[in-house]
Amino acid sequence: WELASIKLFTLFTLRFVGDYAHMRERYDRFELEAQQRGDQYVGSTMRRVCTPMWLAEDDPEGALHDLARASWMPATAKFHVQHFHELVGRSEIALYTGAPEHRAALAEGVERLERSLLLRVHSIRAQYDFVRGRLAVADGDVRLAARLAKRLVAAGTPAARCWAMALRAGIAGPAAAPALEAVAAEAGTLGLRALAAAARHRLGELRGDEAILDEAASSLAALGVRAPARMAAMLVPLAPRRHQLASGDG
């Protein structure tokens, strides 16, 4: 059990860093070992946690197929941490593809999570707020995104504050350049390498700066990303147009 926990912690760490190339190396090795041991728990948890690895490889269909292979589930009808990891994974697939059918499939999972006790766990709530906030930004629902950003700041951790900065940059839409610079700097300081590179890529897109775009694309490629523009838009979506929030909403 201790060895399994170390393996899963390694994958969680690589997910937060955004080092999808090293995640792939560990994933392939850990998956083979899990199959050899008949360890369905580790195998299924890996598949639910490693969705962004498939997206980095520009393979959302592979991500969906891998989620379908995640057969282990706790013997309870309640919403479990396994359900949570799958919900985050499917949310990121929806962000990456923009496909309506993927978005529609999230509603039940969101409702079940919000009825569960899992959101009392600060790390789970922060991850949920960030992915839910990104979906809200992509939809242009800046009021919801702003509320979730405030909740991330209140979480009090450096990563959660950086995620809040990313949501606020997304809310700014076409006027996000200064906020994106701040996100890139803060994420770089924290070692959130994919988020830092994605923020720089979005900055290059807004400014039409080929030098910034090339540098950011190279950074993302070094992390295992094959389609930098799509991955950057998944990690740092920008609202489709600038919205003005009423006082107190931000």
Side-chain angles (χ1 to χ4, degrees):
W1 174 254
E2 183 177 354
L3 180 59
S5 297
I6 292 171
K7 290 178 177 179
L8 294 176
F9 179 77
T10 298
L11 294 173
F12 279 123
T13 300
L14 291 171
R15 177 186 176 117
F16 283 118
V17 170
D19 191 341
Y20 310 114
H22 281 95
M23 179 182 280
R24 168 55 73 182
E25 293 175 8
R26 304 302 194 282
Y27 178 93
D28 289 343
R29 176 155 53 89
F30 294 168
E31 181 186 35
L32 178 60
E33 292 170 355
Q35 289 176 350
Q36 291 171 339
R37 293 193 313 273
D39 192 335
Q40 294 186 44
Y41 170 76
V42 169
S44 292
T45 303
M46 284 172 45
R47 293 186 178 98
R48 294 183 172 109
V49 168
C50 293
T51 296
M53 173 190 75
W54 293 95
L55 300 180
E57 295 169 355
D58 199 25
D59 188 7
E61 292 304 318
L64 288 168
H65 176 71
D66 216 38
L67 285 174
R69 295 171 61 209
S71 58
W72 185 87
M73 194 67 76
T76 174
K78 296 181 179 179
F79 199 87
H80 192 270
V81 69
Q82 294 284 333
H83 298 108
F84 166 73
H85 291 314
E86 183 161 341
L87 176 62
V88 171
R90 291 188 181 279
S91 296
E92 293 197 323
I93 292 170
L95 279 164
Y96 190 85
T97 63
E101 62 269 24
H102 296 323
R103 299 296 301 274
L106 300 176
E108 181 184 359
V110 167
E111 182 181 352
R112 290 183 65 199
L113 173 61
E114 293 188 344
R115 290 201 313 264
S116 76
L117 299 180
L118 283 179
L119 291 181
R120 296 185 181 183
V121 180
H122 288 185
S123 61
I124 287 178
R125 186 172 66 194
Q127 292 176 68
Y128 170 69
D129 287 348
F130 185 40
V131 75
R132 186 91 161 90
R134 282 182 284 157
L135 287 166
V137 168
D139 288 341
D141 188 349
V142 296
R143 292 182 184 277
L144 174 58
R147 289 198 298 272
L148 293 169
K150 289 176 70 173
R151 202 158 75 173
L152 282 166
V153 171
T157 67
R161 288 194 295 270
C162 188
W163 291 343
M165 292 170 64
L167 292 186
R168 287 170 173 167
I171 290 168
L180 289 169
E181 289 181 324
V183 172
E186 183 67 12
T189 298
L190 296 175
L192 304 176
R193 295 169 61 194
L195 183 61
R200 291 196 302 274
H201 199 284
R202 306 296 339 236
L203 177 64
E205 292 173 4
L206 285 182
R207 289 184 172 166
D209 190 320
E210 292 297 327
I212 295 177
L213 280 172
D214 289 346
E215 180 274 331
S218 294
S219 296
L220 287 167
L223 296 171
V225 175
R226 295 180 183 172
R230 295 188 76 185
M231 198 67 177
M234 187 275 282
L235 290 169
V236 190
L238 300 180
R241 61 186 180 278
R242 187 174 182 179
H243 297 262
Q244 298 295 324
L245 294 179
S247 177
D249 286 342

